[in-house]
Amino acid sequence: MPSDQAFFHYSVISYFLIAPPTFISCQFTTAPYGKHHRKGWGPTISPPLAWFLMESPTLWFTLLFFPLGQHRSDPKSIILISPFIFHYFHRTIIYPLRLRRKLSNGYPISVALMAFTFNLFNSYLQTRWVSEYADYINDGWFWWRFCVGLAVFLGGMAVNVKSDMELMKLKSAGGGYKIPRGGFFELVSCPNYSGEIVEWLGWGLMTGSWVGLGFFVYTCANLVPRARANHKWYMEKFGEDYPKGRKAVIPFVY
């Protein structure tokens, strides 16, 4: 097995191996940013700068690595990688710009470095699959799967972006944290996380690959515990005023 193919193969396996311990560890330790900010994690930088730096590999690494694949000129490959770049253009460029002057707490450099490393790893896997290892010639279901997956992806992204914007509006209003109201916030405490999970479910459908599924599984392992922590934080802070029927991240379920 060629060295790159072997590395890719074992990297995909590692996705499924690290997801369970990530899920378990996140049950006990919540990353110290946002409403969970606390000391003890080393020096910090501004949250907009942190988001830009730690998410940036998804753009520059993807765009540098994609042309190295054998499918770099295949229209299917180019179309398939586009939603991935679209999401991360928003997360790397637009989202940090919207965060300016809205957050006072710093973002731990140690956490940003871990996220930077993960994004390098994930960008390699997703880009390498799309540009090198996917079999577009013999994939008769490509367009059906892509269209269904894209609809799921865009629906999730719409929920994710709209929910983030609502949270930013609350922060801009001043006066500390408030209970989010309206839209999907009536169903779950963290529709921004729900939307992102749905996005990567759609990506998994579009790629029809183990690497796409692995990203979805790891996203769940990371965001579901954080959504649960946020939900608990809201209930403790607002007590009886917090909506009783609201779930953490999955409407009507969890």
Side-chain angles (χ1 to χ4, degrees):
M1 182 181 293
S3 58
D4 180 76
Q5 189 175 354
F7 180 76
F8 178 84
H9 174 77
Y10 291 115
S11 294
V12 173
I13 292 174
S14 72
Y15 236 148
F16 294 93
L17 294 178
I18 64 177
T22 296
F23 180 80
I24 294 170
S25 64
C26 287
Q27 300 287 339
F28 301 99
T29 303
T30 304
Y33 64 88
K35 57 179 61 66
H36 301 287
H37 175 79
R38 57 191 182 277
K39 296 181 179 180
W41 287 73
T44 63
I45 56 177
S46 73
L49 179 60
W51 280 100
F52 170 75
L53 293 175
M54 68 188 186
E55 300 288 337
S56 66
T58 57
L59 292 182
W60 60 260
F61 190 79
T62 298
L63 294 175
L64 283 173
F65 216 67
F66 185 86
L68 302 180
Q70 64 173 324
H71 302 305
R72 60 187 175 274
S73 300
D74 191 317
K76 290 181 179 178
S77 176
I78 296 170
I79 290 171
L80 182 55
I81 200 64
S82 296
F84 183 84
I85 295 175
F86 179 57
H87 168 90
Y88 279 111
F89 179 80
H90 173 266
R91 184 60 70 193
T92 305
I93 307 296
I94 306 301
Y95 181 70
L97 289 174
R98 287 174 172 164
L99 277 181
R100 289 183 306 168
R101 305 186 187 91
K102 292 179 172 59
L103 298 175
S104 56
N105 294 324
Y107 198 107
I109 293 176
S110 57
V111 177
L113 283 174
M114 287 188 282
F116 180 89
T117 302
F118 170 79
N119 282 321
L120 274 177
F121 171 73
N122 186 53
S123 297
Y124 163 77
L125 283 176
Q126 307 306 323
T127 304
R128 201 63 177 149
W129 169 261
V130 173
S131 68
E132 178 68 24
Y133 295 119
D135 182 3
Y136 299 108
I137 296 176
N138 298 309
D139 187 357
W141 289 92
F142 175 83
W143 289 114
W144 288 99
R145 196 176 59 245
F146 176 81
C147 290
V148 172
L150 182 62
V152 173
F153 181 92
L154 292 176
M157 187 170 181
V159 172
N160 174 253
V161 173
K162 181 174 175 55
S163 302
D164 276 340
M165 292 178 67
E166 290 300 319
L167 292 174
M168 290 179 197
K169 287 180 183 177
L170 289 178
K171 291 177 181 130
S172 298
Y177 283 100
K178 303 178 182 67
I179 299 175
R181 304 281 187 182
F184 281 90
F185 282 108
E186 296 303 316
L187 299 175
V188 294
S189 295
C190 301
N192 50 333
Y193 294 160
S194 304
E196 186 153 356
I197 289 170
V198 170
E199 275 188 79
W200 299 122
L201 171 62
W203 173 253
L205 291 172
M206 280 188 278
T207 65
S209 66
W210 286 107
V211 68
L213 176 62
F215 187 20
F216 167 69
V217 169
Y218 188 84
T219 298
C220 292
N222 184 39
L223 293 186
V224 170
R226 187 167 182 85
R228 180 176 177 272
N230 284 0
H231 184 66
K232 181 180 179 182
W233 183 93
Y234 278 123
M235 291 192 296
E236 290 176 350
K237 182 172 181 61
F238 296 107
E240 293 297 319
D241 293 331
Y242 199 69
K244 300 294 185 296
R246 191 177 293 187
K247 300 299 182 180
V249 67
I250 304 175
F252 313 113
V253 177
Y254 182 81

